[in-house]
Amino acid sequence: MFIIRHTALKEAQGLCYGHSEMALAETFAAESQRIVDRCSEIFDVVFSSPLQRCTQLAGQLPAREIRTDDRLKEVYFGSWEGKVWNDIPRTELDPWMDDFVDVAPPAGESLRQLYTRVNEFLNELRNVPHQRVALVTHAGVVRCVWAALLGIPLQNIFKIQVSYGQIQAFELGPEPAFDRWLSSVVS
């Protein structure tokens, strides 16, 4: 299983975005071509977040089938979506920063909720008969995959560097005890 983070965004610096649609950087064509070059074999299926920063890349990959799945969306920041991080009131931000695993932004979801939906997706994927699968998704989802497959505590997942266009390869076993990380490539 290959997990690919979407390519660079145009104007995301300092913005709180999760489910918000964001424009891709002008470098999309070159970035996506580098990713396609590294994924030369045809995927049986590519699962993608339905957000266009992922579906545009998924559409470039050599695949027999492309499916979107809401469980591959980034964490939902609720009323913070689209705001500049520095403009979020400290009275809202501090409780979340003190316990980002279990505290959700107002009307949003917590990291644990994101992890639960990602883990549910992975457990269903174990029963899919495809041999060569790719996921095109977001940094938070990629980190939750690491946590689910390798037993990394959620409070430590932000120590995992996930770059735009980065490709992670995992072997998904018949049950979690047999999962393993294979490689990582930054395109």
Side-chain angles (χ1 to χ4, degrees):
M1 170 178 70
F2 295 85
I3 304 167
I4 307 166
R5 183 183 181 196
H6 61 78
T7 59
L9 302 177
K10 188 173 186 175
E11 297 177 12
Q13 190 67 28
L15 284 180
C16 179
Y17 63 93
H19 285 201
S20 300
E21 291 289 5
M22 301 292 291
L24 293 168
E26 294 80 14
T27 57
F28 173 74
E31 288 181 78
S32 64
Q33 187 58 56
R34 283 193 298 272
I35 293 166
V36 168
D37 289 347
R38 294 187 185 279
C39 301
S40 57
E41 290 183 47
I42 295 174
F43 292 106
D44 294 325
V45 64
V46 172
F47 293 96
S48 176
S49 160
L51 298 176
Q52 61 185 317
R53 59 188 181 264
C54 294
T55 59
Q56 288 183 23
L57 176 58
Q60 301 293 312
L61 296 173
R64 289 184 176 87
E65 181 180 1
I66 298 172
R67 297 183 199 170
T68 59
D69 194 301
D70 282 343
R71 294 171 295 182
L72 297 177
K73 282 184 180 179
E74 183 61 278
V75 69
Y76 181 52
F77 286 107
S79 64
W80 297 352
E81 287 280 336
K83 290 186 178 180
V84 174
W85 280 103
N86 290 337
D87 292 345
I88 298 170
R90 298 299 307 182
T91 55
E92 292 180 17
L93 193 59
D94 287 345
W96 177 75
M97 298 217 21
D98 289 342
D99 184 9
F100 58 85
V101 171
D102 291 306
V103 173
E109 71 180 331
S110 69
L111 179 58
R112 189 169 311 281
Q113 289 170 306
L114 170 64
Y115 172 82
T116 298
R117 67 176 156 88
V118 170
N119 198 39
E120 176 185 284
F121 175 85
L122 291 172
N123 286 330
E124 282 182 24
L125 192 58
R126 290 178 199 287
N127 299 314
V128 173
H130 304 297
Q131 295 298 310
R132 190 163 163 83
V133 174
L135 311 181
V136 179
T137 190
H138 311 271
V141 174
V142 173
R143 289 180 176 112
C144 285
V145 168
W146 277 87
L149 298 184
L150 302 177
I152 297 170
L154 289 177
Q155 64 269 22
N156 294 334
I157 67 171
F158 290 100
K159 296 175 183 176
I160 301 167
Q161 177 64 34
V162 182
S163 303
Y164 291 121
Q166 187 171 7
I167 303 168
Q168 305 282 338
F170 289 89
E171 185 174 311
L172 192 62
E175 57 185 72
F178 296 101
D179 297 335
R180 65 188 183 117
W181 173 77
L182 300 173
S183 67
S184 176
V185 175
V186 177
S187 61

